[in-house]
Amino acid sequence: MQQEQKTFRRIVTGHDADGKAIVITDAPPVHPQLVGGPGGPTFFEVWHTLKTPALISLQPSEPEENGLVLPPPKNGTRLRIIEFPPEGEDFRKLMSADTAAEFKSMGSEKTSSAGEPPPHPLMHRTKTVDYGIVLEGEITLVLDRAETTIYAGDIVVQSGTNHAWANRSGKACRMAFILIDGEFSNEFNHA
C-alpha cells in the first residue's frame, strides 16, 4: 500500500506597483503528472526559466508548457519535485513497457540503448547539470558502473551522466530537482 505524501505549496513572489516585495501565489503545484501509469512516479513541475540570466519581472507569470518535458529549456532552468513510489509489481509492468518512447515523449531521446542490457530499464541522460535533493525517504542512484543509496537530506550533483532512480525501500521517496541546461565538452567526442 502506497503511503500518502503530504502536499507541498509553491509560493511565488513578485513586486507591487511601488516595487515592494509581495506574494503573487501560494498554492499547491499546478502541474502534477503521473508518468507511466499506476506504479510510476508523479512529476510536479514547479517552475522553469527560459534563459540565463533569468528575466526578473515585477509580476512573474506561470511559465507556459504543453505536457511534461524532461530537460529545461535551452539556456534555461527547471525545478520539479518527483514522488517515486516503491518499485512493486505495478512498476515491473511499467518497466516492461516501451520506456524509450516514454522518454522521447518527454524530450529525452538519449535513453540507454547500448548493446548490453542496462543496469536499470529507466536509464536516461540529459545535457544538464542536475541538483537532486532527497526531501523524504530514500532512493538508489543507478549509474552505468556504480550505484549508491541516498537518504533524506542528501544531495546529488548529476553531471550529464547516464542514470536511473530505483526506489527499493518499500516507502515513497520525494526528491527536488533543479535542472540547468548544459552542453557536453569536447572531451566527450573522444570518450
Side-chain angles (χ1 to χ4, degrees):
M1 176 179 279
Q2 185 172 333
Q3 179 181 347
E4 188 66 30
Q5 294 282 98
K6 181 180 100 177
T7 302
F8 61 93
R9 298 163 33 211
R10 182 191 69 170
I11 296 112
V12 179
T13 64
H15 301 86
D16 63 17
D18 298 322
K20 299 295 182 186
I22 61 171
V23 171
I24 303 291
T25 61
D26 182 344
V30 295
H31 299 296
Q33 295 185 48
L34 179 63
V35 175
T42 301
F43 283 58
F44 297 89
E45 297 303 277
V46 178
W47 201 262
H48 71 263
T49 61
L50 298 176
K51 62 182 183 174
T52 302
L55 182 63
I56 300 171
S57 60
L58 286 177
Q59 300 269 321
S61 59
E62 184 71 35
E64 289 186 34
E65 198 155 66
N66 293 326
L68 180 63
V69 179
L70 202 58
K74 183 72 178 154
N75 298 317
T77 65
R78 180 175 309 285
L79 170 61
R80 74 167 42 105
I81 304 294
I82 302 179
E83 292 181 356
F84 295 94
E87 292 184 7
E89 184 61 33
D90 288 339
F91 185 77
R92 283 188 276 283
K93 289 177 187 172
L94 168 67
M95 291 192 312
S96 66
D98 186 2
T99 56
E102 188 78 34
F103 279 116
K104 187 174 182 177
S105 74
M106 294 185 287
S108 179
E109 297 183 39
K110 298 292 183 187
T111 57
S112 184
S113 60
E116 59 189 67
H120 193 278
L122 298 181
M123 296 292 283
H124 64 286
R125 176 187 225 166
T126 54
K127 285 194 326 184
T128 59
V129 173
D130 304 340
Y131 306 136
I133 306 156
V134 179
L135 302 174
E136 299 174 28
E138 67 182 65
I139 198 158
T140 300
L141 170 62
V142 180
L143 301 170
D144 291 328
R145 294 186 176 159
E147 63 177 56
T148 186
T149 301
I150 55 176
Y151 304 91
D154 290 344
I155 300 168
V156 173
V157 179
Q158 194 279 115
S159 186
T161 54
N162 196 33
H163 69 285
W165 302 101
N167 185 347
R168 301 169 181 155
S169 71
K171 296 180 182 176
C173 176
R174 179 182 285 171
M175 288 186 72
F177 291 92
I178 299 101
L179 294 84
I180 303 165
D181 183 44
E183 60 182 61
F184 293 114
S185 72
N186 289 335
E187 298 168 301
F188 282 89
N189 296 336
H190 306 292

